[in-house]
Every structure is written in C-alpha cells, then in structure tokens.
Amino acid sequence: MESKLVIYNTLTRQKERFEPLNAPNVGMYVCGPTVYGDPHLGHARPAITFDVVFRYLKHLGYKVRYVRNITDVGHLEHDADEGEDKIAKKARLEQLEPMEIAQYYTNRYHQYMDALNVLRPSIEPHATGHIIEQQQLVQQILDNGFAYESNGSVYFDIEAYNKKHQYGILSGRSLENIKDESRELAGVGEKHNQADFALWKKAQPEHIMRWPSPWSDGFPGWHCECTAMGRKYLGETFDIHGGGMDLVFPHHECEIAQAVASMGHPAVKYWMHNNMLTINGKKMGKSYHNFITLEQFFKGDHPLLEKAYSPMTIRFFVLSAHYRGTVDFSNDALLAAEKGLEKLQQAISDLSRITVSPKCDAETERVVKGLREKCYDAMNDDFATPLVISYLFEACTVVNKLTDHKATICADCLKELTEVMHLFAEDILGLNVQHAASNAEREEAFGKVVDMVLALRAKAKADKDWATSDKIRDELAAAGFEVKDTKDGVTWKLNK
C-alpha cells in the first residue's frame, strides 16, 4: 500500500516516508516500564504517544505487532552496570519476593494505562522470562569478538566494535566524548574501558535475582532484554523502535551496537522518541524526586496539584503537545486541558441534537468538507496531534453555532462531521467521550421535563405573569440549564 505517513527518524535526524519492511505487516517495539514503583506522568507520555502510533497505523490498514516489554530484572540503581537491582532492593525493604514486587507494580501499571485508554500491546514480554534468549545474545557477541569475560561478568568491548562499526550513531556522540564522560567514574575495575557496558553481571552473594550461565550465576545487563526480545518477536529486522528521549543514550545506543555485533546488521529502520515532561523546567522522574504519580493526579493528592484531574484530562494534556516537544507541567496547563477536553466532549454530545437543514451555509460547508483531509494531513506529518486537536476545535465552533441556530447544515455534511469527529477524537486520539455521552443521555431524559417546564413558562408569559416566567427561567439556570429566547422560539441546553 502507498503510504503518505512521514515519521521523524531519530537515527537519521530527519523526517522520512514510512515504508514498512514487509507491508502490510508492521513490527513496533517500545520500551516499557521498570516495575518497582507506581506509574507517574513520565510513564504516561510514551504510553500515550505510541498508543496513538499503534492506533493510527492500524487505522491505515497495517497489521501491527506491537511489543512493549516489562523490565523486571537488571535495571540497577546507579547506572546500567553498578548498584543494586531496583526491584530486588524494593523486595528486600518490603520483605517480599522480587516477583511479588514486579507483579504488583505491573498490575498497577496496567490499571492506570487502562484508565488512560491505552490499548494493550500485542505482546508484553518480561525480561525474566527471556533469560535464555539474552544469554544466547551475549554468546553471539562474544563469538563475534565484540565482548570479553572478566571475573564472571561479560562486557561489551566498545573499542573493538568501533574499529569496524560506529558507536554513537544514534546519539551523535563520538567514542572519545563517551570516554571523557566515563572518566569521571572512579577506576575501571574489571572493565577494559570504563565506557564498556555489561552484557552479563556476576551476582554478588547478597544479590537475590540470579540465574546460572556459562560465565557465572548472575543476571543480564539492562540493555540486553530489548535486543533479545525484539529479535524473538519481531525478527532480525523490524520497523519501529520507540521510547523516551532519555533512552537514546545509553540504552538505545547500546541496543544498536548489540544488534550489529550479534547479527552483523542493524535491527531497526525507524527510531522514534518522545520528549521529556518537566516540572519548572526540570525533568520529571524518580531520580529527581519531583515526580507525581498517576494516582495522585487522579485523586488530587499532591502539594503541586490544586485538584484532581481525570485520566482523559491527562491524556488530552499529553496530546496537546507534539510528542517530540517538551511539555512543562503546571496546574494552569492542566486546567486548560480540562477545559479543552470538556469543549470537545460537549460538541460531540451536541452532534445528536443538531437540526438538519436543506443546505449548509458557506462557512459550515467549508469547515466540514475540509476537516477530514486536514486531520489526516496532520497525522501523516509525524503524528501532529496538536494540529488535529486544533481542527477539532474549529469543528466545535461550528457545532456551537449549529446548536444555537446561527448556522445551517445538510444531512450529508452532518453525517460527515459526526464521523470525522468520532474517528479522530475517539478512535485515533483515544479520547474516551463516554462522559459526554452520559451527559447527552441525561439531557434526553430531562428533555421532556424541561419542555414541560418551559411550556408552563410560556403560559405564564402569555398570561403576562412576568414574575413566574422569570422565576422559572432563573431556577432552570441555577439547576444548570441555559434557556434562550430567540425569534424562532425558546432553546435550551444543559451546561457542564
């Protein structure tokens, strides 16, 4: 199939037309969470970003195999090679089995991703379930001369690799720069070069999570899991590898090196990265002690939050910025997202209340007939969700005019408007509008009652009982109903 979709490839640093290796099949791998704590807003952004990619590719007719891993071993406390395993540390502190910790926080992650309307991936492999595949990867790299064993651990030999290939191709760093940065760490220890990274680590006596291997009882290096599992489920080459910008170096850089060192060629065609979320200009994350969990957002239970925010408000907030742009958290930004989402939800709800006319007015026809193409053009330009939202807002303005009888629309254009707004808001952006739908049901249920009350008001006006007429209008307003007297009669709507 011919694709109009253009994706920014982090590897080439430019936008490229999306041409799958084996269309209509598409392989997509996204780095998932390390499950040792409650998910926070930093987890939400990549999940939502690549959920939209997943949704849109499927909408275009591709058969997508979406793999998102669970890191439940090997992600160490200080860096990729040193410190205590984060899950093992949590297990030790809480006197639980490491897999109890991993399972508990995996369940929590799923719970909050479901609330954000993030679709489950096709496959969700765990690092601990693929130790053999990771050991096979390490052995291949050793056999090809790009790794060495040292005291029971195995390290990737960056200098040996760089003689035949380029290390730093994704991040744009040179080996000398990497070495200079690495010298800040005290001592080389068992590594040939401080910049070398662990493929397999010998477990110390106190280390809980360990497996037998040809080199030692130990555990895989953090970088191995994605390379091994991506290859297992998507093949030696696949289309998209995604994750947060913070993973470009060292994680994804190491993944590229491992793939080339083991197979002789790169595995990934398009590298995609969402940018960071910040608080007061500083990256949000556990290591900075400034993160806000999703539970705190949903309950409003954090000093930086003025109130609770719904999962759909969080999703709308994330999608209101382009995935490659930095998003700075603030209450004002969340309040604006909440207001924008309500505007969209109300408009979608009001679509069912619009009266059809024989023909459209010129402005309505212009907006409606151009809406679908503009939204597709935005999505095809590297998933420009903010533009899609802006076009949907333009449609909301049309809906408001139609419900206020300030514009006219024909049956065909109303059908088109309804289809496009539902398609892009719900199916592609993944914004759940059930809340708006329930409001529509309430309006329908209240409709007969309100009409009866307005009939009483009309009788009061006919009898020149202005006090009763005004009282009915004011009490309806206090109950949340907006009543307007127009030259064509009385209109009403239920406000949020």
Side-chain angles (χ1 to χ4, degrees), residues 354-388:
I354 292 173
T355 302
V356 172
S357 299
K359 66 176 184 178
C360 300
D361 65 87
E363 178 64 12
T364 297
E365 186 173 29
R366 181 191 68 80
V367 173
V368 172
K369 290 191 173 180
L371 182 61
R372 187 185 294 266
E373 183 178 2
K374 287 164 69 174
C375 288
Y376 273 123
D377 286 347
M379 288 300 297
N380 286 334
D381 186 11
D382 196 29
F383 309 98
T385 57
L387 268 180
V388 174

Side-chain angles (χ1 to χ4, degrees), residues 276-284 290 326-330:
M276 297 183 296
L277 284 160
T278 60
I279 296 180
N280 297 324
K282 189 172 185 179
K283 178 187 171 184
M284 180 184 293
N290 67 348
T326 303
V327 176
D328 195 49
F329 159 81
S330 71

